Amino acid sequence: MKLLDVDRLGKRYRLGLGGRGAETLWALRDVSFSVEQAEILGILGPNGAGKSTLLKILSRITEPTEGRATIRGRVGSLLEVGTGFHAELTGRENVFLSGALLGMSAAQVRERFDQIVAFAEVEPFIDTPVKRYSSGMYVRLAFAVAAHLRPDILIVDEVLAVGDLSFQRKCLEHMQRLIREGMTILLVSHNMAAIQTACTRALLLDHGRLVGEGPPVDIIERYASLVHLRDAAPELGAPAAAGARDVEVVSFALLDEDGRETRELAFGRPARIRIELEARRRIESPMVNFGVRRGDGVIVCNFNNWYDGFRIDHLEGRCSLEGWLPPFRVVPGHYEAHVLVWPWGGGHTGGLEAAQPLVARVFGSFQVVGVAFNWHDGVFQVRAQGWRFDRGGAVQECRPTGELPASILAASAGQASDS
């Protein structure tokens, strides 16, 4: 059953002070889509894409300039911290006020009151005016009210970013329960892991228009490509430090277990990487690092020769490094590959934080395919299964042993004692 039908929706704003010559801006234009009951619809787009304008229209905060949105059932909105709260009222009073705005009777609010307060973790402060709440307390109570008073459609706009990680996880789990009970949720977030895991479908907005609709992983990929083309393309492969002229990452290839170059890896299957380097001077004992970064910026795993006890004597001229990776057990979805070269020097002493990479390059995105897991799965640190280095025909190979090198263990112990 369709709970929401959006037909050619548009919103125009007048810029400046008005008058005959005033400019206008279409924040939203010709947007159409529908939402079924028990869906979590993710809404993606860069800043200024029209996401908040769309949600304000659906929440009846503002009227559209053209088109219409047909909503069947009650709508609960959480567009910013404490939407609908009165600062002078206590938490208890605001719970009942929000319930009334959602069309709930006082008896219905009382029935769920204890669940709301327990979920928000604000029991000691429930009779304190909310103007004295921290931003975290405010958003916990606001979300708890909106979610537990059970509107037919819950609209959530990025406010979960205010809560800590534990609360964000609890909210995502609670939204999954609400979906199983038949609620429909519209979620705007820049947390790609949350969109990918929680949502059943996603939309992509850009400059006020709907430019993509489909499975979350596909829309996340289109969103990443859109952002890269607009903002990051000039910096793709840019040096991370002034010394980058000393060495260049010429190319990077990701290969499947059969040695074929690919941008798609199967979950749980091994893979191989090949990195081509050009060193314009002799660089002693370098550390070459391959990292995998999630859509929300978290680096989920790293592989490098130093961690595996594989000492490269030096870089000079054209060089290549291959790595045999263990089975790839990260959450299926889209990731970014990046390569860094560090001037670590013989002995590898000191902290990595004190050094700067000679070069850092991003090589676009690749996809891990398989059964979707929970949002918190997939961060891991394991050894590569082998390395091979070739410098002008002089070949080094390494099959790591079961333990980390003593130098790493000693450095880790030193950092732990310093902290």
Side-chain angles (χ1 to χ4, degrees):
M1 178 177 123
K2 290 182 181 178
L3 290 190
L4 175 62
D5 238 329
V6 174
D7 182 28
R8 304 190 69 178
L9 207 60
K11 180 65 178 180
R12 181 178 60 202
Y13 290 101
R14 190 178 299 277
L15 304 180
L17 301 176
R20 183 171 296 179
E23 295 184 10
T24 59
L25 169 69
W26 283 95
L28 211 62
R29 194 75 189 267
D30 197 29
V31 172
S32 300
F33 64 92
S34 60
V35 184
E36 300 284 339
Q37 185 177 10
E39 267 198 287
I40 300 186
L41 179 70
I43 302 176
L44 302 178
N47 292 333
K51 304 184 299 296
S52 295
T53 300
L54 173 62
L55 298 191
K56 286 177 181 177
I57 293 174
L58 299 180
S59 302
R60 299 188 179 95
I61 294 173
T62 187
E63 292 292 323
T65 305
E66 62 182 21
R68 66 178 184 174
T70 304
I71 302 171
R72 301 172 180 91
R74 292 194 310 269
V75 175
S77 299
L78 199 53
L79 303 187
E80 57 185 52
V81 176
T83 300
F85 277 15
H86 191 294
E88 298 297 333
L89 299 181
T90 66
R92 183 186 302 275
E93 292 165 333
N94 272 297
V95 171
F96 281 89
L97 173 63
S98 294
L101 293 173
L102 281 173
M104 310 289 288
S105 68
Q108 289 173 314
V109 176
R110 275 195 296 271
E111 181 184 345
R112 295 165 187 165
F113 182 82
D114 289 343
Q115 296 175 12
I116 292 169
V117 176
F119 187 94
E121 302 171 3
V122 295
E123 293 98 328
F125 314 100
I126 194 61
D127 291 309
T128 301
V130 296
K131 67 180 181 181
R132 298 197 178 104
Y133 283 16
S134 69
S135 59
M137 292 165 60
Y138 219 117
V139 75
R140 290 202 304 271
L141 184 59
F143 181 87
V145 170
H148 284 80
L149 293 183
R150 306 296 171 89
D152 299 291
I153 301 174
L154 177 62
I155 297 176
V156 184
D157 184 7
E158 200 60 81
V159 294
L160 299 186
V162 179
D164 59 21
L165 290 176
S166 174
F167 182 69
Q168 290 179 37
R169 180 168 61 250
K170 183 159 69 169
C171 289
L172 290 171
E173 291 169 351
H174 187 69
M175 284 193 287
Q176 294 283 4
R177 287 195 295 272
L178 295 177
I179 288 296
R180 290 193 293 270
E181 294 169 8
M183 187 183 290
T184 296
I185 299 175
L186 273 60
L187 175 63
V188 168
S189 178
H190 286 99
N191 184 333
M192 297 300 102
I195 292 289
Q196 178 179 320
T197 304
C199 296
T200 52
R201 192 162 53 95
L203 307 179
L204 177 60
L205 294 176
D206 186 37
H207 291 104
R209 293 187 179 271
L210 181 63
V211 296
E213 180 178 358
V217 290
D218 295 341
I219 299 304
I220 289 170
E221 171 70 4
R222 291 188 62 178
Y223 173 61
S225 299
L226 182 72
V227 172
H228 286 155
L229 284 172
R230 181 173 302 162
D231 301 325
E235 299 179 2
L236 187 65
R245 294 178 180 176
D246 294 334
V247 62
E248 179 183 354
V249 182
V250 178
S251 66
F252 165 79
L254 181 66
L255 303 101
D256 62 20
E257 54 190 315
D258 296 320
R260 295 186 296 259
E261 192 166 342
T262 183
R263 288 280 177 152
E264 184 176 284
L265 296 177
F267 175 85
R269 304 302 302 173
R272 183 155 54 102
I273 57 172
R274 183 171 61 239
I275 302 166
E276 299 287 338
L277 305 167
E278 181 76 34
R280 296 178 177 84
R281 67 170 177 86
R282 183 183 175 102
I283 300 169
E284 301 291 341
S285 301
M287 183 169 76
V288 183
N289 184 93
F290 160 64
V292 175
R293 185 164 56 196
R294 204 165 60 189
D296 58 358
V298 174
I299 297 175
V300 300
C301 61
N302 275 305
F303 300 95
N304 67 62
N305 59 293
W306 181 49
Y307 286 164
D308 292 340
F310 177 43
R311 182 179 181 274
I312 295 175
D313 181 65
H314 68 276
L315 296 178
E316 194 168 20
R318 191 64 173 257
C319 309
S320 70
L321 176 66
E322 289 187 77
W324 283 261
L325 308 183
F328 235 72
R329 292 190 173 93
V330 296
V331 173
H334 293 275
Y335 296 87
E336 243 180 13
H338 58 91
V339 176
L340 300 92
V341 179
W342 299 84
W344 209 232
H348 303 296
T349 58
L352 192 61
E353 319 81 33
Q356 289 291 324
L358 290 170
V359 66
R361 282 198 64 180
V362 176
F363 286 93
S365 64
F366 67 95
Q367 185 176 6
V368 177
V369 297
V371 178
F373 293 89
N374 295 320
W375 69 273
H376 49 74
D377 292 332
V379 178
F380 74 107
Q381 177 72 68
V382 296
R383 290 176 166 277
Q385 294 182 330
W387 295 97
R388 183 179 187 274
F389 176 68
D390 185 338
R391 185 185 63 251
V395 175
Q396 292 177 261
E397 292 186 345
C398 170
R399 298 288 175 180
T401 60
E403 296 183 358
L404 289 172
S407 57
I408 297 178
L409 298 175
S412 300
Q415 292 173 4
S417 62
D418 291 340
S419 61

